[in-house]
Amino acid sequence: MPEWEKNIRKVDPYVPGEQPQVSDVIKLNTNENPYPPSPAVIKALEEMKIEESYRKYPDPTAKSLKNTLAGYYGVDRDRIFIGSGSDDVLAIGFLTFFNSDQPVLFPDVTYSFYPVWAKVYGIPYEEIPLDEGFVINTDDYERGNCGGVVIANPNAPTGVAMDAKKVEKIIAANRDVIVVVDEAYADYSGVSVLPLIDKYDNLVVVRTFSKSRAMAGARIGFAIAGKRLIKAMEDVAQSINSYPISSTSLAAAVASVGDDKYFRDRIEDVIRTRARTVLELKRRGFSVLPSGTNFVFVTHAVKSAVDISDELRLRNIYVRHFSLPRIDNYLRITIGTDNQMNDLFAAIDEII
Ligand SMILES: *Cc1c(COP(=O)(O)O)cnc(C)c1O
């Protein structure tokens, strides 16, 4: 072993869902939106003067997008932090807010990036078990003595949404530390703690353009919080990377927010297909957790999750399976178009 080996940081990285580089698959494994971004986004990109905008660095303050989001959510511009996907926003949040000797708390079954960030930054953490129905018991988060709290609401990969009052209990019980609420799927549940940001100076709400805005490839996420917290995140971010959002992504994001009707209509489409999917899967012997997201988390009464996933894959249908404690007999299935879901149901009929 070379001498330098001992100085190398060793991490177990997060493993994202597969991105097969072929087009004839039905991809229900990474919670992408089955619909394209708004036509306004395509138009904004077509109208961009790429020669100039790519020659220069993008606006490091992302002012255009901050102004747009400030108007949309009715908050001051200096209460918004913008990053390269909400993964970047969350990573900066971990680095900025979790500098205590006490453990940061999050559920045992949640977004599997949280423990990865905690480990790479050397942040102590504790995973609090969800109950048997994969629901958070808020009392577990009212114990004091912690370095912060991270909650995904709705949760992933379970899809379970907690009502805003319960999230508020957790925020209120932890006024001395920062509570990060990851609302990647909140547009599908309609539940958000954004209205609480004036009431609680320890609350950080994180959102993304990747799911409900169909812009995963553009890499845009943001946080909304009090000015002091946003300033702290900006200082940390500016110490790592000054230009996180490309000029094209900025223009596309502004255009997306400008077309609210398209945005809301596509959310309704997904929710309608989700309701149908739940019924069709239950009819085929699946238990389906209640979903406030654009995916369902399911387990089958007879056939194992791995077998179903493998056999779907042979039919070019990709769903997500996690080899993790408590959930290794579950599948996370993204809601696609009605046609894609029909193909899924037909494939399941063959398999089961
Ligand atoms: C998809 C997802 C994210 C991150 O998505 P980005 O593409 O980085 O914005 C964050 N949290 C949860 C729970 C997610 O499911």
Side-chain angles (χ1 to χ4, degrees), residues 95-335:
L95 196 50
T96 307
F97 301 126
F98 301 149
N99 289 294
S100 159
D101 300 332
Q102 299 294 321
V104 168
L105 311 181
F106 44 82
D108 61 338
V109 178
T110 190
Y111 190 34
S112 47
F113 225 139
Y114 303 154
V116 174
W117 287 313
K119 279 185 241 173
V120 75
Y121 294 137
I123 300 164
Y125 66 96
E126 199 174 314
E127 297 175 313
I128 314 278
L130 297 174
D131 74 13
E132 323 78 63
F134 297 114
V135 172
I136 284 185
N137 180 355
T138 54
D139 294 347
D140 295 343
Y141 294 81
E142 294 177 25
R143 61 181 214 182
N145 289 337
C146 75
V149 178
V150 186
I151 300 287
N153 193 44
N155 198 10
T158 63
V160 174
M162 192 167 32
D163 67 47
K165 277 269 167 288
K166 283 179 74 180
V167 186
E168 181 169 9
K169 271 185 77 186
I170 295 174
I171 301 163
N174 290 280
R175 296 297 302 254
D176 295 338
V177 293
I178 301 303
V179 177
V180 173
V181 182
D182 178 354
E183 294 192 340
Y185 301 99
D187 292 321
Y188 294 106
S189 69
V191 174
S192 174
V193 289
L194 263 180
L196 299 180
I197 51 157
D198 289 330
K199 190 166 169 191
Y200 295 99
D201 66 359
N202 60 321
L203 170 62
V204 178
V205 179
V206 178
R207 292 287 188 99
T208 179
F209 279 60
S210 297
K211 280 57 182 249
S212 53
R213 291 194 179 276
M215 292 172 67
R219 311 305 304 128
I220 305 151
F222 59 99
I224 300 184
K227 290 185 172 89
R228 171 73 193 95
L229 300 188
I230 294 300
K231 172 73 166 61
M233 288 181 82
E234 303 249 323
D235 288 347
V236 170
Q238 296 292 330
S239 310
I240 297 171
N241 173 12
S242 305
Y243 303 99
I245 312 292
S246 74
S247 6
T248 36
S249 289
L250 280 176
V254 168
S256 170
V257 179
D259 189 358
D260 204 43
K261 170 145 181 27
Y262 179 91
F263 172 64
R264 291 183 186 281
D265 287 349
R266 295 297 81 71
I267 289 170
E268 285 310 313
D269 288 342
V270 167
I271 291 176
R272 205 176 309 116
T273 306
R274 181 179 77 196
R276 216 186 116 230
T277 300
V278 170
L279 293 177
E280 294 291 340
L281 291 177
K282 283 186 174 168
R283 258 210 259 164
R284 289 165 174 82
F286 286 91
S287 303
V288 184
L289 290 189
S291 170
T293 62
N294 67 338
F295 60 86
V296 286
F297 201 53
V298 304
T299 185
H300 193 262
V302 182
K303 199 148 174 106
S304 81
V306 185
D307 287 351
I308 297 172
S309 164
D310 288 349
E311 292 189 41
L312 285 173
R313 210 190 147 92
L314 294 175
R315 292 164 173 82
N316 279 335
I317 301 176
Y318 287 58
V319 299
R320 191 87 197 264
H321 173 259
F322 297 88
S323 298
L324 291 172
R326 293 187 72 185
I327 57 170
D328 63 347
N329 201 28
Y330 282 80
L331 294 174
R332 192 193 67 191
I333 305 176
T334 305
I335 303 300

